[in-house]
Amino acid sequence: MKKCVIVGVGGRHKMFRDVLVKKYSKEYQLVAICDSNLGRLKFAESSLAESNVSVNLYPGKSFQKLLRVERPDVVIITSPDYTHHKYIIAAAQYGCEIISEKPITNNLINLKSIVSAMEKTDSKATITHNYRYSPHRSQIKQFLMDGAIGTIKAVTFDWHLDRIHGADYFRRWHRYKKNSGGLAVHKATHHFDLINWWLSDVPVSAYATGSNHYYNPANAKRLAIDNQGQRCTTCSSKDCTFRLDLRSIENLKMLYSENEEYDGYYRDQCVFDESIGIEDMIRAEVRYSRGAVLNYGLVAFSPWEGYEITFIGTEGTLSQKYLERSVINGDESSLREGSNVETTLLVPGKATEMIKNPHSAGGHGGADPLMLDHIFADDGTPDPLQRKSNHFSASWSAITGFAINRSMEKGKVVLIKDLIQDLTVPNELRLN
Ligand SMILES: NC(=O)c1ccc[n+]([C@@H]2O[C@H](COP(=O)([O-])OP(=O)(O)OC[C@H]3O[C@@H](n4cnc5c(N)ncnc54)[C@H](O)[C@@H]3O)[C@@H](O)[C@H]2O)c1
C-alpha cells in the first residue's frame, strides 16, 4: 500500500481525497494533509473522520517535516499555482511520486527550477491535465491520429467563460498575475495542452493582445453598481448580479467563510476591484513546429460557457462546439450534468458527418473520474491516446501562456526558444 499526502485542502483537493479514501483505499493510504490554513485543515480532517480515516495535520511551513516524518510515497499538490514549484521540488528531492494540479507553475523562473530539480533528482511528475480525458476531446485526438483530415494547417479555438465561472477568477488569488500567471497561464494551460496533444506538436512562437474590458471599476459604474465594497460580505450593493453569498452555500461557508480568521483569505472579493491585474480577454496567434497556426481567443465575460474549435487539415475540417454548464469552484451544487457537444467532420466529396459523441458522467465533461482511474489504477497498460501528462507536457502548455504574457507586455512576437531551450519533448507531443 502506498502512503499518500495532500498539500492544499481547498476546493480542488476533495476530488483526490474522496477517490483515495473511498475507491482506492486498498492501494493508497492517506496519512497526512498539509495547508497554510489551520481551519481548512481541521475541516478536511473532520470530513475524513466521517469516512473513518484519521490523518496527521501539517501547516504549510512544516512540509519538510511532513516528508521526514511521514515518508510518503505519493505527494498530491492542490495548493495555489504560485506554491506548486516549492512542493514539487521538495517532493522530488525526497524521491516521492508527484501528482500536481495544473498549471505546473505560475511563471518561467519557477518552471526552470522545476525542470532542473526534476532532472537532478531523476524524478517525474504527473500534472493533472484532466481536459484530455473528456470523451469528446479524446475522440478528437483519435480522429486526428487516424488522419481523418490529413495534416493540420490551422486551428481556430475560442474558449468562453461566462459571468458565473469567468467572474470567479476575479474574486480571489487568481486575480493577480504573480499568483496565477493570469488566465493565459492559469486557465489557458488546459487549452494549450489540448492543442499540443491534439496536434502532437509544440509551439515555436506566440503573438497576443489582451486587456481587462469588463472586471474593472469603470464597468461597474457603467452597470450602475454603486458603492461597491471590498467584498460581497460587506458590500452594500445588494442587487449586484455578481454577488456571491458564501454563507448561503454550505461547502463555501465551511471552506472559506469559517476560516478567514486564520489567513484573511476572502473568497468573495469584488470582481470590479481596481487592483485586479489579469486580462479578461485574450487573442493570440501561436505557431507550431510543423507549421500549423493556432488562432486562439479567451473571453471571461461571455454570455455562454464552452468552446468552439475548428481544425483545418489538408483533407478536410473537423469542428466541435461544446456548451458547458457553468460552475463555481467549490460549490458542489453547481456540478451538474447537461452539457452539449456537436462534432462535425467535413471531407471534400463526402456528405457532412455529424459525429456521435461519447458521454461520461462526472466533473469537467466526464474527464475527472476517467483521469483519476488512469492515475490511481495504472497497471502500466499503454494508453493509445497517451493522455497522462507529465511535467514536460505541462511545461510545454504553460510556456505558451508565458510567451503570451510576454507578448502582451512587449507588443511583439515571442519566440519560445528565447524563453527556454532544450526542453524535452515528451512522446505524446511528437508525431510517431
Ligand atoms: N484541473 C482542474 O480542472 C482544476 C480545477 C480547480 C482547481 N484546479 C487547481 O487546483 C489548485 C487549487 O485550486 P483551488 O480552487 O482548490 O484553490 P483554493 O484557494 O480553494 O484552495 C487552495 C488551498 O491551498 C491552501 N494554501 C495556500 N497557500 C498555501 C501554501 N503556501 N501551502 C499550503 N497550502 C496553501 C489554501 O489555504 C487553500 O486551502 C490550483 O492550482 C488550481 O489551478 C484545477
Side-chain angles (χ1 to χ4, degrees), residues 67-110:
L67 292 170
R68 231 176 25 249
V69 175
E70 306 290 345
R71 305 180 76 82
D73 300 293
V74 184
V75 172
I76 297 176
I77 302 163
T78 49
S79 50
D81 309 356
Y82 58 92
T83 67
H84 291 178
H85 64 291
K86 196 172 88 176
Y87 293 118
I88 292 175
I89 293 170
Q93 285 162 347
Y94 258 80
C96 305
E97 271 178 51
I98 300 159
I99 299 169
S100 172
E101 261 303 344
K102 54 49 63 177
I104 182 167
T105 187
N106 57 333
N107 67 39
L108 186 60
I109 296 171
N110 293 340

mmCIF file of all heavy atoms in Angstrom, residues 67-110:
data_model
loop_
_atom_site.group_PDB
_atom_site.id
_atom_site.type_symbol
_atom_site.label_atom_id
_atom_site.label_comp_id
_atom_site.label_asym_id
_atom_site.label_seq_id
_atom_site.Cartn_x
_atom_site.Cartn_y
_atom_site.Cartn_z
ATOM 1 N N LEU A 67 7.583 15.450 5.166
ATOM 2 C CA LEU A 67 8.311 14.491 4.321
ATOM 3 C C LEU A 67 9.194 13.583 5.172
ATOM 4 O O LEU A 67 9.261 12.371 4.955
ATOM 5 C CB LEU A 67 9.167 15.248 3.291
ATOM 6 C CG LEU A 67 8.395 16.011 2.203
ATOM 7 C CD1 LEU A 67 9.336 16.908 1.397
ATOM 8 C CD2 LEU A 67 7.672 15.055 1.262
ATOM 9 N N ARG A 68 9.845 14.201 6.160
ATOM 10 C CA ARG A 68 10.757 13.448 7.034
ATOM 11 C C ARG A 68 10.012 12.429 7.890
ATOM 12 O O ARG A 68 10.393 11.282 7.994
ATOM 13 C CB ARG A 68 11.457 14.449 7.948
ATOM 14 C CG ARG A 68 12.951 14.311 7.976
ATOM 15 C CD ARG A 68 13.663 15.361 8.805
ATOM 16 N NE ARG A 68 12.948 15.999 9.868
ATOM 17 C CZ ARG A 68 12.576 17.282 9.870
ATOM 18 N NH1 ARG A 68 12.815 18.036 8.800
ATOM 19 N NH2 ARG A 68 11.941 17.810 10.902
ATOM 20 N N VAL A 69 8.892 12.884 8.472
ATOM 21 C CA VAL A 69 8.189 12.028 9.440
ATOM 22 C C VAL A 69 7.308 10.995 8.738
ATOM 23 O O VAL A 69 7.324 9.809 9.077
ATOM 24 C CB VAL A 69 7.321 12.912 10.386
ATOM 25 C CG1 VAL A 69 6.472 12.056 11.316
ATOM 26 C CG2 VAL A 69 8.194 13.865 11.167
ATOM 27 N N GLU A 70 6.556 11.446 7.768
ATOM 28 C CA GLU A 70 5.557 10.559 7.133
ATOM 29 C C GLU A 70 6.164 9.669 6.058
ATOM 30 O O GLU A 70 5.594 8.636 5.717
ATOM 31 C CB GLU A 70 4.410 11.377 6.523
ATOM 32 C CG GLU A 70 3.715 12.341 7.487
ATOM 33 C CD GLU A 70 2.885 11.629 8.539
ATOM 34 O OE1 GLU A 70 2.605 10.425 8.374
ATOM 35 O OE2 GLU A 70 2.548 12.281 9.552
ATOM 36 N N ARG A 71 7.243 10.113 5.468
ATOM 37 C CA ARG A 71 7.897 9.391 4.371
ATOM 38 C C ARG A 71 6.872 8.910 3.320
ATOM 39 O O ARG A 71 6.738 7.704 3.051
ATOM 40 C CB ARG A 71 8.691 8.198 4.915
ATOM 41 C CG ARG A 71 9.690 8.608 5.993
ATOM 42 C CD ARG A 71 10.469 7.429 6.536
ATOM 43 N NE ARG A 71 11.507 6.994 5.614
ATOM 44 C CZ ARG A 71 12.697 7.577 5.525
ATOM 45 N NH1 ARG A 71 13.002 8.604 6.262
ATOM 46 N NH2 ARG A 71 13.590 7.127 4.678
ATOM 47 N N PRO A 72 6.145 9.866 2.731
ATOM 48 C CA PRO A 72 5.098 9.459 1.786
ATOM 49 C C PRO A 72 5.679 8.907 0.481
ATOM 50 O O PRO A 72 6.767 9.301 0.062
ATOM 51 C CB PRO A 72 4.355 10.775 1.511
ATOM 52 C CG PRO A 72 5.358 11.849 1.770
ATOM 53 C CD PRO A 72 6.265 11.331 2.859
ATOM 54 N N ASP A 73 4.930 7.995 -0.121
ATOM 55 C CA ASP A 73 5.300 7.531 -1.467
ATOM 56 C C ASP A 73 4.784 8.517 -2.509
ATOM 57 O O ASP A 73 5.404 8.716 -3.549
ATOM 58 C CB ASP A 73 4.665 6.158 -1.743
ATOM 59 C CG ASP A 73 5.117 5.122 -0.742
ATOM 60 O OD1 ASP A 73 6.311 4.795 -0.766
ATOM 61 O OD2 ASP A 73 4.291 4.674 0.086
ATOM 62 N N VAL A 74 3.621 9.093 -2.219
ATOM 63 C CA VAL A 74 2.963 9.963 -3.211
ATOM 64 C C VAL A 74 2.586 11.295 -2.559
ATOM 65 O O VAL A 74 2.007 11.323 -1.475
ATOM 66 C CB VAL A 74 1.662 9.297 -3.740
ATOM 67 C CG1 VAL A 74 1.025 10.143 -4.835
ATOM 68 C CG2 VAL A 74 1.910 7.887 -4.228
ATOM 69 N N VAL A 75 2.919 12.393 -3.259
ATOM 70 C CA VAL A 75 2.509 13.726 -2.800
ATOM 71 C C VAL A 75 1.550 14.307 -3.841
ATOM 72 O O VAL A 75 1.888 14.386 -5.022
ATOM 73 C CB VAL A 75 3.738 14.653 -2.640
ATOM 74 C CG1 VAL A 75 3.299 16.092 -2.361
ATOM 75 C CG2 VAL A 75 4.648 14.151 -1.532
ATOM 76 N N ILE A 76 0.363 14.673 -3.372
ATOM 77 C CA ILE A 76 -0.630 15.294 -4.276
ATOM 78 C C ILE A 76 -0.691 16.781 -3.949
ATOM 79 O O ILE A 76 -0.878 17.157 -2.781
ATOM 80 C CB ILE A 76 -2.018 14.647 -4.084
ATOM 81 C CG1 ILE A 76 -1.945 13.167 -4.462
ATOM 82 C CG2 ILE A 76 -3.077 15.371 -4.919
ATOM 83 C CD1 ILE A 76 -3.236 12.403 -4.228
ATOM 84 N N ILE A 77 -0.522 17.617 -4.964
ATOM 85 C CA ILE A 77 -0.430 19.067 -4.722
ATOM 86 C C ILE A 77 -1.665 19.778 -5.299
ATOM 87 O O ILE A 77 -1.868 19.797 -6.519
ATOM 88 C CB ILE A 77 0.865 19.626 -5.349
ATOM 89 C CG1 ILE A 77 2.075 18.890 -4.738
ATOM 90 C CG2 ILE A 77 0.977 21.137 -5.123
ATOM 91 C CD1 ILE A 77 3.352 19.036 -5.525
ATOM 92 N N THR A 78 -2.463 20.318 -4.401
ATOM 93 C CA THR A 78 -3.672 21.055 -4.824
ATOM 94 C C THR A 78 -3.711 22.419 -4.122
ATOM 95 O O THR A 78 -4.770 22.917 -3.760
ATOM 96 C CB THR A 78 -4.959 20.251 -4.517
ATOM 97 O OG1 THR A 78 -4.902 19.798 -3.162
ATOM 98 C CG2 THR A 78 -5.123 19.062 -5.413
ATOM 99 N N SER A 79 -2.538 22.998 -3.950
ATOM 100 C CA SER A 79 -2.438 24.349 -3.384
ATOM 101 C C SER A 79 -2.440 25.342 -4.560
ATOM 102 O O SER A 79 -2.389 24.928 -5.720
ATOM 103 C CB SER A 79 -1.154 24.436 -2.547
ATOM 104 O OG SER A 79 -0.065 23.965 -3.302
ATOM 105 N N PRO A 80 -2.460 26.660 -4.280
ATOM 106 C CA PRO A 80 -2.497 27.619 -5.400
ATOM 107 C C PRO A 80 -1.261 27.518 -6.314
ATOM 108 O O PRO A 80 -0.180 27.092 -5.886
ATOM 109 C CB PRO A 80 -2.546 28.979 -4.696
ATOM 110 C CG PRO A 80 -3.113 28.696 -3.350
ATOM 111 C CD PRO A 80 -2.599 27.341 -2.979
ATOM 112 N N ASP A 81 -1.432 27.983 -7.531
ATOM 113 C CA ASP A 81 -0.416 27.828 -8.587
ATOM 114 C C ASP A 81 0.973 28.319 -8.161
ATOM 115 O O ASP A 81 1.982 27.708 -8.493
ATOM 116 C CB ASP A 81 -0.840 28.606 -9.844
ATOM 117 C CG ASP A 81 -2.263 28.289 -10.281
ATOM 118 O OD1 ASP A 81 -2.899 27.412 -9.673
ATOM 119 O OD2 ASP A 81 -2.739 28.937 -11.226
ATOM 120 N N TYR A 82 1.002 29.458 -7.430
ATOM 121 C CA TYR A 82 2.297 30.068 -7.080
ATOM 122 C C TYR A 82 3.051 29.267 -6.025
ATOM 123 O O TYR A 82 4.188 29.592 -5.676
ATOM 124 C CB TYR A 82 2.114 31.514 -6.598
ATOM 125 C CG TYR A 82 1.194 31.663 -5.398
ATOM 126 C CD1 TYR A 82 1.682 31.646 -4.105
ATOM 127 C CD2 TYR A 82 -0.174 31.808 -5.581
ATOM 128 C CE1 TYR A 82 0.826 31.772 -3.010
ATOM 129 C CE2 TYR A 82 -1.043 31.939 -4.504
ATOM 130 C CZ TYR A 82 -0.532 31.913 -3.225
ATOM 131 O OH TYR A 82 -1.384 32.024 -2.142
ATOM 132 N N THR A 83 2.439 28.199 -5.489
ATOM 133 C CA THR A 83 3.126 27.360 -4.491
ATOM 134 C C THR A 83 3.564 26.017 -5.079
ATOM 135 O O THR A 83 4.291 25.271 -4.429
ATOM 136 C CB THR A 83 2.199 27.078 -3.286
ATOM 137 O OG1 THR A 83 1.106 26.258 -3.735
ATOM 138 C CG2 THR A 83 1.630 28.336 -2.668
ATOM 139 N N HIS A 84 3.102 25.691 -6.290
ATOM 140 C CA HIS A 84 3.355 24.342 -6.830
ATOM 141 C C HIS A 84 4.845 24.007 -6.886
ATOM 142 O O HIS A 84 5.265 22.907 -6.524
ATOM 143 C CB HIS A 84 2.762 24.204 -8.238
ATOM 144 C CG HIS A 84 1.259 24.192 -8.276
ATOM 145 N ND1 HIS A 84 0.529 24.118 -9.435
ATOM 146 C CD2 HIS A 84 0.332 24.268 -7.291
ATOM 147 C CE1 HIS A 84 -0.768 24.127 -9.171
ATOM 148 N NE2 HIS A 84 -0.911 24.235 -7.868
ATOM 149 N N HIS A 85 5.647 24.973 -7.385
ATOM 150 C CA HIS A 85 7.073 24.670 -7.609
ATOM 151 C C HIS A 85 7.757 24.250 -6.309
ATOM 152 O O HIS A 85 8.556 23.322 -6.291
ATOM 153 C CB HIS A 85 7.799 25.858 -8.243
ATOM 154 C CG HIS A 85 7.861 27.079 -7.380
ATOM 155 N ND1 HIS A 85 6.757 27.825 -7.066
ATOM 156 C CD2 HIS A 85 8.899 27.668 -6.739
ATOM 157 C CE1 HIS A 85 7.110 28.826 -6.289
ATOM 158 N NE2 HIS A 85 8.395 28.761 -6.066
ATOM 159 N N LYS A 86 7.397 24.958 -5.233
ATOM 160 C CA LYS A 86 8.039 24.687 -3.940
ATOM 161 C C LYS A 86 7.775 23.227 -3.512
ATOM 162 O O LYS A 86 8.688 22.499 -3.111
ATOM 163 C CB LYS A 86 7.421 25.651 -2.924
ATOM 164 C CG LYS A 86 8.170 25.805 -1.659
ATOM 165 C CD LYS A 86 7.576 26.929 -0.820
ATOM 166 C CE LYS A 86 6.467 26.403 0.057
ATOM 167 N NZ LYS A 86 5.892 27.371 0.965
ATOM 168 N N TYR A 87 6.537 22.801 -3.658
ATOM 169 C CA TYR A 87 6.177 21.453 -3.208
ATOM 170 C C TYR A 87 6.655 20.378 -4.191
ATOM 171 O O TYR A 87 7.060 19.292 -3.778
ATOM 172 C CB TYR A 87 4.665 21.366 -2.973
ATOM 173 C CG TYR A 87 4.241 22.230 -1.795
ATOM 174 C CD1 TYR A 87 3.368 23.293 -1.952
ATOM 175 C CD2 TYR A 87 4.758 21.983 -0.532
ATOM 176 C CE1 TYR A 87 3.002 24.094 -0.874
ATOM 177 C CE2 TYR A 87 4.405 22.769 0.551
ATOM 178 C CZ TYR A 87 3.532 23.829 0.380
ATOM 179 O OH TYR A 87 3.200 24.605 1.454
ATOM 180 N N ILE A 88 6.586 20.690 -5.483
ATOM 181 C CA ILE A 88 7.066 19.709 -6.476
ATOM 182 C C ILE A 88 8.556 19.441 -6.236
ATOM 183 O O ILE A 88 9.009 18.293 -6.177
ATOM 184 C CB ILE A 88 6.836 20.214 -7.928
ATOM 185 C CG1 ILE A 88 5.332 20.264 -8.260
ATOM 186 C CG2 ILE A 88 7.579 19.348 -8.937
ATOM 187 C CD1 ILE A 88 4.983 20.866 -9.616
ATOM 188 N N ILE A 89 9.321 20.514 -6.065
ATOM 189 C CA ILE A 89 10.773 20.367 -5.913
ATOM 190 C C ILE A 89 11.104 19.624 -4.611
ATOM 191 O O ILE A 89 11.915 18.692 -4.598
ATOM 192 C CB ILE A 89 11.471 21.750 -5.987
ATOM 193 C CG1 ILE A 89 11.312 22.316 -7.410
ATOM 194 C CG2 ILE A 89 12.951 21.650 -5.609
ATOM 195 C CD1 ILE A 89 11.735 23.763 -7.572
ATOM 196 N N ALA A 90 10.452 20.017 -3.515
ATOM 197 C CA ALA A 90 10.736 19.347 -2.230
ATOM 198 C C ALA A 90 10.388 17.863 -2.306
ATOM 199 O O ALA A 90 11.145 17.003 -1.835
ATOM 200 C CB ALA A 90 9.956 20.029 -1.112
ATOM 201 N N ALA A 91 9.247 17.549 -2.924
ATOM 202 C CA ALA A 91 8.823 16.144 -3.031
ATOM 203 C C ALA A 91 9.787 15.357 -3.920
ATOM 204 O O ALA A 91 10.114 14.197 -3.634
ATOM 205 C CB ALA A 91 7.402 16.069 -3.571
ATOM 206 N N ALA A 92 10.279 16.004 -4.982
ATOM 207 C CA ALA A 92 11.229 15.332 -5.880
ATOM 208 C C ALA A 92 12.519 15.028 -5.118
ATOM 209 O O ALA A 92 13.104 13.945 -5.265
ATOM 210 C CB ALA A 92 11.516 16.207 -7.099
ATOM 211 N N GLN A 93 12.946 15.964 -4.289
ATOM 212 C CA GLN A 93 14.187 15.747 -3.536
ATOM 213 C C GLN A 93 14.055 14.595 -2.541
ATOM 214 O O GLN A 93 15.039 13.983 -2.159
ATOM 215 C CB GLN A 93 14.612 17.046 -2.833
ATOM 216 C CG GLN A 93 15.199 18.024 -3.844
ATOM 217 C CD GLN A 93 15.255 19.461 -3.345
ATOM 218 O OE1 GLN A 93 14.639 19.794 -2.329
ATOM 219 N NE2 GLN A 93 15.957 20.308 -4.076
ATOM 220 N N TYR A 94 12.835 14.304 -2.152
ATOM 221 C CA TYR A 94 12.602 13.167 -1.259
ATOM 222 C C TYR A 94 12.275 11.886 -2.025
ATOM 223 O O TYR A 94 11.933 10.868 -1.415
ATOM 224 C CB TYR A 94 11.466 13.497 -0.280
ATOM 225 C CG TYR A 94 11.986 13.862 1.085
ATOM 226 C CD1 TYR A 94 12.474 15.135 1.340
ATOM 227 C CD2 TYR A 94 12.043 12.918 2.099
ATOM 228 C CE1 TYR A 94 12.984 15.472 2.585
ATOM 229 C CE2 TYR A 94 12.551 13.244 3.352
ATOM 230 C CZ TYR A 94 13.017 14.513 3.585
ATOM 231 O OH TYR A 94 13.523 14.841 4.814
ATOM 232 N N GLY A 95 12.304 11.946 -3.333
ATOM 233 C CA GLY A 95 12.072 10.749 -4.155
ATOM 234 C C GLY A 95 10.621 10.295 -4.194
ATOM 235 O O GLY A 95 10.332 9.120 -4.445
ATOM 236 N N CYS A 96 9.691 11.231 -3.937
ATOM 237 C CA CYS A 96 8.261 10.857 -3.937
ATOM 238 C C CYS A 96 7.710 10.849 -5.360
ATOM 239 O O CYS A 96 8.208 11.555 -6.232
ATOM 240 C CB CYS A 96 7.446 11.862 -3.136
ATOM 241 S SG CYS A 96 8.041 12.095 -1.474
ATOM 242 N N GLU A 97 6.645 10.092 -5.548
ATOM 243 C CA GLU A 97 5.839 10.249 -6.767
ATOM 244 C C GLU A 97 5.069 11.543 -6.594
ATOM 245 O O GLU A 97 4.564 11.815 -5.498
ATOM 246 C CB GLU A 97 4.789 9.141 -6.855
ATOM 247 C CG GLU A 97 5.225 7.889 -7.540
ATOM 248 C CD GLU A 97 4.101 6.846 -7.524
ATOM 249 O OE1 GLU A 97 2.962 7.158 -7.902
ATOM 250 O OE2 GLU A 97 4.397 5.725 -7.075
ATOM 251 N N ILE A 98 4.927 12.312 -7.677
ATOM 252 C CA ILE A 98 4.281 13.627 -7.549
ATOM 253 C C ILE A 98 3.079 13.697 -8.478
ATOM 254 O O ILE A 98 3.176 13.347 -9.662
ATOM 255 C CB ILE A 98 5.285 14.735 -7.926
ATOM 256 C CG1 ILE A 98 6.501 14.675 -6.990
ATOM 257 C CG2 ILE A 98 4.622 16.117 -7.871
ATOM 258 C CD1 ILE A 98 7.720 15.342 -7.546
ATOM 259 N N ILE A 99 1.974 14.137 -7.915
ATOM 260 C CA ILE A 99 0.775 14.399 -8.726
ATOM 261 C C ILE A 99 0.390 15.835 -8.393
ATOM 262 O O ILE A 99 0.055 16.138 -7.246
ATOM 263 C CB ILE A 99 -0.375 13.442 -8.344
ATOM 264 C CG1 ILE A 99 0.036 11.993 -8.596
ATOM 265 C CG2 ILE A 99 -1.648 13.800 -9.126
ATOM 266 C CD1 ILE A 99 -0.922 10.958 -8.017
ATOM 267 N N SER A 100 0.508 16.723 -9.380
ATOM 268 C CA SER A 100 0.208 18.130 -9.080
ATOM 269 C C SER A 100 -0.894 18.645 -9.986
ATOM 270 O O SER A 100 -0.993 18.274 -11.151
ATOM 271 C CB SER A 100 1.443 19.003 -9.274
ATOM 272 O OG SER A 100 1.089 20.365 -9.154
ATOM 273 N N GLU A 101 -1.676 19.551 -9.431
ATOM 274 C CA GLU A 101 -2.672 20.236 -10.247
ATOM 275 C C GLU A 101 -1.978 21.127 -11.274
ATOM 276 O O GLU A 101 -0.822 21.514 -11.111
ATOM 277 C CB GLU A 101 -3.598 21.081 -9.347
ATOM 278 C CG GLU A 101 -4.910 20.393 -9.047
ATOM 279 C CD GLU A 101 -5.702 19.995 -10.308
ATOM 280 O OE1 GLU A 101 -5.402 20.496 -11.401
ATOM 281 O OE2 GLU A 101 -6.618 19.178 -10.190
ATOM 282 N N LYS A 102 -2.717 21.433 -12.315
ATOM 283 C CA LYS A 102 -2.282 22.404 -13.315
ATOM 284 C C LYS A 102 -2.520 23.807 -12.793
ATOM 285 O O LYS A 102 -3.336 23.942 -11.876
ATOM 286 C CB LYS A 102 -2.990 22.198 -14.649
ATOM 287 C CG LYS A 102 -4.521 22.185 -14.636
ATOM 288 C CD LYS A 102 -5.362 23.208 -13.962
ATOM 289 C CE LYS A 102 -5.334 24.621 -14.381
ATOM 290 N NZ LYS A 102 -6.319 25.484 -13.611
ATOM 291 N N PRO A 103 -1.915 24.823 -13.333
ATOM 292 C CA PRO A 103 -0.774 24.765 -14.236
ATOM 293 C C PRO A 103 0.440 24.293 -13.455
ATOM 294 O O PRO A 103 0.476 24.453 -12.241
ATOM 295 C CB PRO A 103 -0.594 26.238 -14.661
ATOM 296 C CG PRO A 103 -1.092 27.034 -13.502
ATOM 297 C CD PRO A 103 -2.213 26.226 -12.915
ATOM 298 N N ILE A 104 1.422 23.758 -14.154
ATOM 299 C CA ILE A 104 2.587 23.248 -13.425
ATOM 300 C C ILE A 104 3.130 24.321 -12.487
ATOM 301 O O ILE A 104 3.500 24.047 -11.357
ATOM 302 C CB ILE A 104 3.643 22.689 -14.410
ATOM 303 C CG1 ILE A 104 4.821 22.113 -13.651
ATOM 304 C CG2 ILE A 104 4.098 23.721 -15.430
ATOM 305 C CD1 ILE A 104 5.756 21.272 -14.484
ATOM 306 N N THR A 105 3.147 25.559 -12.978
ATOM 307 C CA THR A 105 3.551 26.681 -12.121
ATOM 308 C C THR A 105 3.087 27.990 -12.756
ATOM 309 O O THR A 105 2.508 27.993 -13.842
ATOM 310 C CB THR A 105 5.081 26.672 -11.885
ATOM 311 O OG1 THR A 105 5.398 27.681 -10.922
ATOM 312 C CG2 THR A 105 5.866 26.933 -13.157
ATOM 313 N N ASN A 106 3.362 29.103 -12.064
ATOM 314 C CA ASN A 106 2.806 30.389 -12.482
ATOM 315 C C ASN A 106 3.750 31.246 -13.313
ATOM 316 O O ASN A 106 3.313 32.196 -13.943
ATOM 317 C CB ASN A 106 2.406 31.193 -11.239
ATOM 318 C CG ASN A 106 3.580 31.386 -10.288
ATOM 319 O OD1 ASN A 106 4.510 30.579 -10.261
ATOM 320 N ND2 ASN A 106 3.560 32.444 -9.517
ATOM 321 N N ASN A 107 5.062 30.953 -13.298
ATOM 322 C CA ASN A 107 5.972 31.788 -14.100
ATOM 323 C C ASN A 107 7.193 31.003 -14.590
ATOM 324 O O ASN A 107 7.439 29.874 -14.153
ATOM 325 C CB ASN A 107 6.377 33.076 -13.348
ATOM 326 C CG ASN A 107 7.240 32.791 -12.131
ATOM 327 O OD1 ASN A 107 8.106 31.916 -12.146
ATOM 328 N ND2 ASN A 107 6.995 33.531 -11.050
ATOM 329 N N LEU A 108 7.933 31.662 -15.497
ATOM 330 C CA LEU A 108 9.037 30.993 -16.185
ATOM 331 C C LEU A 108 10.177 30.626 -15.232
ATOM 332 O O LEU A 108 10.780 29.547 -15.357
ATOM 333 C CB LEU A 108 9.550 31.923 -17.300
ATOM 334 C CG LEU A 108 10.611 31.373 -18.230
ATOM 335 C CD1 LEU A 108 10.127 30.135 -18.969
ATOM 336 C CD2 LEU A 108 11.051 32.442 -19.232
ATOM 337 N N ILE A 109 10.462 31.503 -14.282
ATOM 338 C CA ILE A 109 11.571 31.227 -13.354
ATOM 339 C C ILE A 109 11.271 29.954 -12.565
ATOM 340 O O ILE A 109 12.108 29.062 -12.430
ATOM 341 C CB ILE A 109 11.788 32.427 -12.399
ATOM 342 C CG1 ILE A 109 12.225 33.637 -13.210
ATOM 343 C CG2 ILE A 109 12.806 32.101 -11.307
ATOM 344 C CD1 ILE A 109 12.273 34.928 -12.422
ATOM 345 N N ASN A 110 10.051 29.868 -12.063
ATOM 346 C CA ASN A 110 9.674 28.676 -11.292
ATOM 347 C C ASN A 110 9.670 27.427 -12.176
ATOM 348 O O ASN A 110 10.018 26.332 -11.726
ATOM 349 C CB ASN A 110 8.305 28.870 -10.637
ATOM 350 C CG ASN A 110 8.338 29.934 -9.562
ATOM 351 O OD1 ASN A 110 9.400 30.261 -9.052
ATOM 352 N ND2 ASN A 110 7.189 30.487 -9.217
#
